[in-house]
Amino acid sequence: MEKYFKMVTAMFLMIVAVSCSKENDDTINEPEKTFDINNPVGYVIYAKFAGLEFYSTNLIFLFDFLPAKRMVSYSAYAPRNESEYNTPNASTMIYRPYPSWANFNFTIENGKITNIKSLDGSISEYSVIKKPATNQLAGKTFRGKYLKKDGTVLQDGFYTFLPDGKTVDVGVQFPTKTRTETYTNVGNIGALVNIVSGTNNDHEIMILVDGKLQVNYRDNVSSSPKIYHGIFEEVK
């Protein structure tokens, strides 16, 4: 009888241990969170497309969702534009960030973008990104190159994001900085410099995608504005 009692007690303790383990594991029975076209707040959409009138063929955008079916687009071409978007069906979003621009048509299926169309240019890269909880740029340095339209190197460059989450040092030859900018945090993966210091009205945007910093710089000094594109990798 004593042996039987010990066996039952041991089995009971095992069941309790497993039960407590499951209660402490927050991932158990938690539904997978994916992009919902009817409730997209908390996500951003990254897109890169070719605008043939620009010096660079790579124009990058970050689209951020607000409540009440509103979206904000961020870019070096037009720093911040907010307007409504509509969903004509269960897998399509239509958004026009600026009155004179063509629509962006997003096709989304199973939480992923399967197509983006715009008459202003052809889309070469795009992805839906869930906003991380913290600023993914703060405290990191990225080095890389700005590219010409034909893909050859224009110049070297680097970006050092300070731990404060709002300031970035920029330069050509690391680690000598040539300017320091205050930026707007976008979705904890993007940084928008509305007006670059020392310029009339230049704009700059930096977006961290798949571990690389994609950058656009709009030069408004000349009579025909040019947008430069660069790719930068983290210095570890």
Side-chain angles (χ1 to χ4, degrees):
M1 178 65 70
E2 182 180 354
K3 182 177 181 181
Y4 174 76
F5 177 77
K6 289 182 178 180
M7 184 181 299
V8 172
T9 301
M11 292 177 64
F12 175 76
L13 292 174
M14 289 176 63
I15 292 172
V16 171
V18 172
S19 176
C20 291
S21 176
K22 288 185 177 181
E23 288 178 358
N24 292 331
D25 187 348
D26 294 335
T27 63
I28 293 178
N29 297 325
E30 183 177 342
E32 182 180 358
K33 297 178 181 179
T34 58
F35 181 84
D36 182 356
I37 191 172
N38 297 309
N39 185 25
V41 176
Y43 288 83
V44 292
I45 294 178
Y46 162 77
K48 178 193 290 185
F49 81 105
L52 299 181
E53 72 273 25
F54 305 125
Y55 184 75
S56 169
T57 59
N58 293 315
L59 178 62
I60 58 176
F61 279 86
L62 199 57
F63 301 94
D64 191 11
F65 293 96
L66 303 179
K69 285 196 170 184
R70 296 192 67 81
M71 187 187 296
V72 181
S73 66
Y74 296 90
S75 71
Y77 181 74
R80 187 186 188 279
N81 287 288
E82 178 182 338
S83 64
E84 294 182 352
Y85 66 88
N86 62 76
T87 53
N89 55 56
S91 61
T92 303
M93 285 182 168
I94 299 177
Y95 172 70
R96 175 173 289 185
Y98 199 72
S100 62
W101 291 12
N103 289 337
F104 282 91
N105 295 324
F106 303 89
T107 301
I108 302 169
E109 298 176 351
N110 298 320
K112 296 181 180 179
I113 291 182
T114 57
N115 196 14
I116 299 179
K117 291 183 178 179
S118 172
L119 295 179
D120 284 332
S122 60
I123 309 296
S124 60
E125 296 178 12
Y126 48 82
S127 59
V128 174
I129 302 170
K130 182 175 175 57
K131 293 181 183 179
T134 59
N135 189 328
Q136 299 300 294
L137 300 174
K140 297 179 180 178
T141 294
F142 299 84
R143 296 179 65 181
K145 303 178 184 301
Y146 283 98
L147 306 176
K148 296 180 181 180
K149 190 172 183 178
D150 61 4
T152 59
V153 175
L154 175 66
Q155 69 176 40
D156 294 334
F158 75 89
Y159 293 83
T160 296
F161 294 88
L162 277 60
D164 64 4
K166 61 181 181 180
T167 311
V168 57
D169 290 335
V170 187
V172 178
Q173 296 298 327
F174 182 80
T176 304
K177 66 179 181 181
T178 56
R179 55 188 171 94
T180 297
E181 306 292 351
T182 299
Y183 66 86
T184 299
N185 179 0
V186 183
N188 280 329
I189 65 166
L192 174 71
V193 178
N194 190 42
I195 299 179
V196 176
S197 59
T199 70
N200 290 328
N201 199 28
D202 290 6
H203 313 305
E204 190 170 27
I205 190 168
M206 299 137 274
I207 306 172
L208 183 61
V209 183
D210 294 330
K212 295 184 179 181
L213 193 71
Q214 301 280 343
V215 177
N216 269 168
Y217 183 102
R218 174 167 176 162
D219 178 5
N220 284 321
V221 175
S222 60
S223 57
S224 178
K226 295 179 172 60
I227 293 183
Y228 303 97
H229 173 250
I231 301 175
F232 301 78
E233 297 192 2
E234 183 180 355
V235 178
K236 296 183 179 180

